[in-house]
Amino acid sequence: MSNMHIDGVLAQIRSLQAQTRMNAGGIGAPGAIQNPLAPDATPKTSFASVLKQGIDAVNQAQIKAGETATAFEKGTPGVELSQVMLEMQKASVSFRAVTEVRNRLVNVYQDIMNMPI
């Protein structure tokens, strides 16, 4: 895996993080005043919608990788093996990231369920 690919994935993660912060009322943004009792004028982004966006992005990456592979197999001009491999790696990395998020969510759920009341 090349540094360029890793840098691209990190840039995507950072942009999603910045977008989530902006949608969540500027949490962590410079100059943001946090008052949990005051009603916010900005709409809140729920965890479920962020998770769904992430899963949809992984699905799109897998679809694009499959389409690129199919185009290469058909001999479509302009589609090279390096493109196919890059798209397949993008899909693989994003799928592993979603799997890790799922595993951590399951662990947190199990920890909460095992807490004494």
Side-chain angles (χ1 to χ4, degrees):
M1 191 179 308
S2 69
N3 285 340
M4 187 173 75
H5 179 64
I6 292 170
D7 292 339
V9 171
L10 287 174
Q12 287 178 345
I13 291 171
R14 288 182 184 125
S15 68
L16 286 173
Q17 183 181 26
Q19 181 184 7
T20 303
R21 284 183 179 163
M22 287 175 28
N23 289 341
I27 298 172
I33 299 173
Q34 300 296 322
N35 184 354
L37 300 177
D40 288 333
T42 59
K44 296 281 185 180
T45 302
S46 69
F47 177 75
S49 66
V50 172
L51 188 62
K52 183 177 182 340
Q53 288 174 355
I55 292 172
D56 289 343
V58 170
N59 187 34
Q60 289 301 319
Q62 289 179 336
I63 290 170
K64 185 175 180 184
E67 289 172 350
T68 307
T70 302
F72 179 75
E73 290 168 357
K74 290 181 179 179
T76 303
V79 179
E80 298 178 9
L81 181 60
S82 59
Q83 286 178 299
V84 175
M85 296 305 295
L86 184 64
E87 294 299 327
M88 296 295 273
Q89 284 298 317
K90 284 181 185 178
S92 175
V93 167
S94 60
F95 183 76
R96 281 187 268 157
V98 166
T99 304
E100 186 63 31
V101 169
R102 189 241 10 220
N103 291 342
R104 289 186 184 206
L105 286 173
V106 169
N107 286 339
V108 168
Y109 174 78
Q110 288 174 345
D111 289 344
I112 292 171
M113 292 304 295
N114 291 331
M115 283 183 179
I117 296 178

